[in-house]
Amino acid sequence: MIKKLIYISFLLCVVFAAAQEQSKDEVNTKVDRDLIKIGEEVKLGIGVEAELGDLVIFPEQTTMGAMEVINSYPVDSLRIADKIRLFKQYGITQFDSGDYWVPRLEVIKNSRRLFSDSVLVSVREVVVDTTKQGMFPIKDSVEIEDRSTGSYSWMWWLLLLIPVVIAVVLLSRKREEKTYEETLQPYEWTQYRLKLLDESGHLENRDWKQYYTELTYIIRSYIDSKVYGQTLESTTGQLIKELKIAMTEKGMHITDKTQSRLEEILQKADLIKFATAGGDAISAKEDRNRTREIIDNIHQVLPPPTEEELMQDAKYRRQQELKKRTQKIALGIGATVIALIIAGGVWSYVSGFDNVKDQVFGNELREQTEQTWLTSDYGMPPVQLNSPDILVRQDSTVLSDDFSVLAVTVDQFSTGEISDDFYIGVTSFTLKETPSQEENQLSAKMVHDNMIKVLDGIGATDILMLDDEIEIDGLKGVSLEGTFTLDGGDYEYEIIKVLNRVGINQVMITNKKDDEDNADREFGRILRERVRSSIVFPSFDDGKKKKGQ
């Protein structure tokens, strides 16, 4: 019985070894290199031999043991006689130094489970020695292309002004036609109105009342303007009586024939207008011609205008022209204002009032949130962050006594002035080569006192500063936040200061306080949070950068 068990065990071992050897022949595992630096890619390849009709499934996973999969390349194939070789590559890496085993990976072939070989990969860190690193001169500044999106609000103004200009032109032309008579002298005016009477069609339509009403209005208006100033309100008898007196006083003399014809025309017109008397075309034409003769006779006997009258007339004309011009301008401005109100209302309804206000009057903070941001490193030790514009190196830095003792070199970069609507400042301090344990501590009081000195130096008042000790991925530091008043404006700020073995990094972010009820329009806060979340601090203890929190 014991011999049978031993024999069966021996057969199982042989079968298992044969299966392992067959699996090893079917699956081939290799890497392009087994020694890399931190973050470099290793290409892991798995090859499988199969028949033309076999189903082969390669593993798809994000990690392979301690290694991270950063690329999964497509499957390649090679046909050999009646068989094919399938080959799959993976790009893997590791961000910590050490020796790592890539475990056996399962490959499905039809209903069978095959396994790749395990592979050892060594990862080595990048050695950084700042004491032996060569120093290079500062590079010249580089002009960065403005990639901010332009404002197209001018198109709205153009589309709005076109109909306004058309309306002003049409209204002005219409008013010129209405006021043409006002620019004529009394005598020219009578000739113009007589011409309009001939073209009116009253004579052809036998509209005697309207015809004689216009005829007497022309002659009365002329006498009213040149001889007797109450002609339009007087009856026919009063007009004839007062006309004689006025003409005598002015030294004017018209013939008895002209006077009798004037009286006849006025009396005939009264009969037609008030007694519904009839008329005829021949008499109407004769009365029209006699009216013109009467006006011509009165015009001929009028005394020449005095110099004072001429000056008054010129002054009156200038006043009338100025009045007309003022009316046109007021009309154009009124039409423009009304059109602007209507267009602004429609635009505000479609796009929202806040968006219209930003487009018309501009919103610098909003424009910075919407433009393309840039990523760059600043100072030594370097700090990486995203910002709307590249920071510019500054020549002067304000330091407290404590920092003046610690710092050997100081690099400062900023986007402008702290009084701007939005400001980013990065300062890097290089420490002494062998700082004492006491000097190597970054206390909240030291940071607090230094920033109070900086803000006092620029004239800030009402400074509120809350400090807190922080730790970012093993880097200890201090965080400050609060508010201050500068040049009549209220500002919010946030300062992060961290200490590493080589130096101190400080990032200061300020923005003008948002007076918005809608949180989505607090662009200052949005900008500050976006910059803060992008900060990456350096650490020379392990060769890696640390993300700001």
Side-chain angles (χ1 to χ4, degrees):
M1 184 66 181
I2 295 176
K3 289 182 178 181
K4 289 183 179 180
L5 291 174
I6 294 173
Y7 181 71
I8 293 172
S9 300
F10 176 75
L11 289 177
L12 289 175
C13 290
V14 172
V15 171
F16 180 75
Q20 288 286 93
E21 188 66 25
Q22 183 181 4
S23 174
K24 184 176 181 180
D25 293 338
E26 292 185 70
V27 180
N28 182 27
T29 309
K30 66 177 182 178
V31 291
D32 62 341
R33 51 182 170 168
D34 58 3
L35 177 62
I36 62 170
K37 295 180 181 180
I38 291 176
E40 287 188 319
E41 182 185 31
V42 178
K43 289 186 177 179
L44 171 68
I46 301 177
V48 177
E49 290 188 357
E51 303 290 340
L52 292 177
D54 289 344
L55 173 63
V56 178
I57 301 176
F58 291 94
E60 291 292 344
Q61 53 199 64
T62 58
T63 60
M64 295 180 179
M67 305 294 287
E68 297 182 18
V69 178
I70 57 176
N71 280 310
S72 179
Y73 298 96
V75 178
D76 195 6
S77 62
L78 176 64
R79 183 165 179 174
I80 304 173
D82 58 344
K83 294 186 177 182
I84 59 173
R85 173 171 285 277
L86 302 176
F87 189 73
K88 171 75 173 178
Q89 275 192 322
Y90 301 91
I92 59 176
T93 190
Q94 174 55 246
F95 295 96
D96 285 319
S97 59
D99 296 331
Y100 301 95
W101 282 96
V102 179
R104 301 172 66 202
L105 303 175
E106 182 181 45
V107 180
I108 305 297
K109 179 179 178 182
N110 296 327
S111 58
R112 297 172 55 207
R113 299 169 61 193
L114 306 177
F115 291 91
S116 65
D117 292 335
S118 58
V119 180
L120 178 64
V121 178
S122 298
V123 181
R124 297 291 177 259
E125 64 183 10
V126 180
V127 179
V128 178
D129 189 348
T130 57
T131 61
K132 296 181 180 180
Q133 181 178 354
M135 302 302 291
F136 301 95
I138 299 173
K139 294 183 179 180
D140 295 334
S141 60
V142 179
E143 294 293 333
I144 303 298
E145 181 184 357
D146 184 9
R147 288 170 284 182
S148 58
T149 57
S151 175
Y152 297 96
S153 58
W154 62 272
M155 297 182 64
W156 291 95
W157 291 104
L158 180 61
L159 294 175
L160 183 63
L161 286 175
I162 290 175
V164 171
V165 171
I166 294 174
V168 171
V169 171
L170 293 178
L171 292 174
S172 300
R173 288 183 177 179
K174 185 177 181 181
R175 183 159 183 82
E176 286 178 2
E177 292 177 1
K178 288 183 178 181
T179 60
Y180 173 71
E181 297 180 26
E182 298 177 4
T183 63
L184 300 175
Q185 291 291 329
Y187 181 74
E188 287 79 10
W189 178 83
T190 59
Q191 309 306 310
Y192 175 72
R193 291 298 291 259
L194 287 172
K195 180 180 178 182
L196 292 181
L197 179 63
D198 295 339
E199 298 172 353
S200 64
H202 297 321
L203 196 62
E204 291 77 4
N205 297 330
R206 306 180 68 80
D207 188 359
W208 310 120
K209 182 177 180 179
Q210 193 67 29
Y211 184 85
Y212 276 93
T213 298
E214 177 66 16
L215 191 65
T216 55
Y217 173 73
I218 294 171
I219 194 170
R220 280 175 175 269
S221 296
Y222 180 73
I223 296 173
D224 183 84
S225 63
K226 305 302 293 184
V227 184
Y228 174 57
Q230 298 181 1
T231 303
L232 296 175
E233 296 86 8
S234 302
T235 62
T236 300
Q238 292 174 337
L239 173 60
I240 298 299
K241 180 180 177 181
E242 295 295 336
L243 180 61
K244 292 179 181 179
I245 298 172
M247 294 184 70
T248 301
E249 292 177 349
K250 293 180 183 248
M252 299 170 54
H253 300 284
I254 59 174
T255 62
D256 294 338
K257 183 179 179 182
T258 300
Q259 183 176 327
S260 62
R261 283 183 175 179
L262 172 62
E263 188 172 358
E264 288 176 4
I265 292 173
L266 294 176
Q267 289 175 349
K268 185 176 182 180
D270 290 341
L271 291 175
I272 293 175
K273 289 190 293 182
F274 305 113
T276 64
D280 61 86
I282 297 176
S283 299
K285 288 183 179 180
E286 289 180 356
D287 291 337
R288 187 264 184 211
N289 294 330
R290 288 175 180 176
T291 298
R292 180 168 185 175
E293 292 175 359
I294 293 170
I295 293 173
D296 289 341
N297 291 335
I298 295 175
H299 180 68
Q300 291 176 358
V301 300
L302 284 174
T306 64
E307 185 177 352
E308 182 179 355
E309 289 177 339
L310 291 173
M311 291 181 65
Q312 290 179 350
D313 183 66
K315 181 179 180 181
Y316 174 76
R317 284 175 175 272
R318 287 196 299 269
Q319 291 176 346
Q320 290 299 106
E321 291 176 359
L322 180 61
K323 183 179 179 181
K324 293 173 187 177
R325 191 180 300 114
T326 304
Q327 289 175 345
K328 291 180 181 180
I329 294 174
L331 180 63
I333 294 175
T336 302
V337 171
I338 293 174
L340 286 174
I341 293 173
I342 295 174
V346 175
W347 190 8
S348 299
Y349 177 78
V350 174
S351 302
F353 176 76
D354 290 330
N355 292 328
V356 173
K357 181 178 68 174
D358 292 344
Q359 288 287 333
V360 174
F361 300 103
N363 189 328
E364 184 178 349
L365 294 180
R366 177 173 180 173
E367 291 174 359
Q368 292 189 56
T369 60
E370 295 177 349
Q371 75 182 63
T372 302
W373 282 40
L374 306 169
T375 303
S376 187
D377 292 348
Y378 303 96
M380 182 62 202
V383 176
Q384 184 184 98
L385 54 79
N386 296 341
S387 59
D389 300 298
I390 291 294
L391 279 59
V392 179
R393 180 182 291 273
Q394 305 299 318
D395 296 330
S396 60
T397 305
V398 179
L399 296 177
S400 65
D401 295 338
D402 293 334
F403 276 100
S404 298
V405 173
L406 287 176
V408 176
T409 61
V410 181
D411 293 325
Q412 183 175 7
F413 304 82
S414 68
T415 56
E417 302 294 335
I418 297 180
S419 58
D420 295 340
D421 290 350
F422 183 66
Y423 167 86
I424 305 173
V426 176
T427 307
S428 296
F429 307 88
T430 302
L431 301 178
K432 294 179 180 179
E433 294 184 4
T434 57
S436 64
Q437 183 176 2
E438 182 179 353
E439 291 175 334
N440 203 28
Q441 299 299 319
L442 188 64
S443 66
K445 182 179 183 305
M446 184 193 309
V447 177
H448 185 281
D449 294 342
N450 185 69
M451 293 316 304
I452 289 292
K453 183 176 181 179
V454 171
L455 294 176
D456 282 340
I458 63 174
T461 58
D462 300 330
I463 302 172
L464 174 63
M465 185 175 294
L466 303 176
D467 56 74
D468 185 25
E469 294 185 356
I470 59 174
E471 184 174 341
I472 301 174
D473 291 341
L475 297 179
K476 293 185 178 181
V478 177
S479 172
L480 303 175
E481 59 181 317
T483 59
F484 63 87
T485 302
L486 181 62
D487 297 334
D490 295 329
Y491 291 81
E492 299 173 317
Y493 70 90
E494 188 167 346
I495 302 168
I496 302 175
K497 219 162 198 174
V498 297
L499 173 68
N500 55 52
R501 182 171 58 83
V502 178
I504 299 174
N505 293 113
Q506 171 186 297
V507 178
M508 181 176 183
I509 313 167
T510 68
N511 65 275
K512 217 162 194 179
K513 196 169 183 180
D514 297 300
D515 295 327
E516 297 282 351
D517 296 331
N518 185 359
D520 293 336
R521 289 186 52 79
E522 294 179 355
F523 297 113
R525 174 187 57 81
I526 294 172
L527 286 168
R528 196 173 69 250
E529 292 178 353
R530 183 172 175 183
V531 173
R532 182 187 60 198
S533 63
S534 70
I535 299 173
V536 179
F537 290 109
S539 172
F540 293 99
D541 293 335
D542 55 5
K544 294 183 293 182
K545 290 186 176 181
K546 305 299 183 182
K547 186 84 174 198
Q549 296 179 343

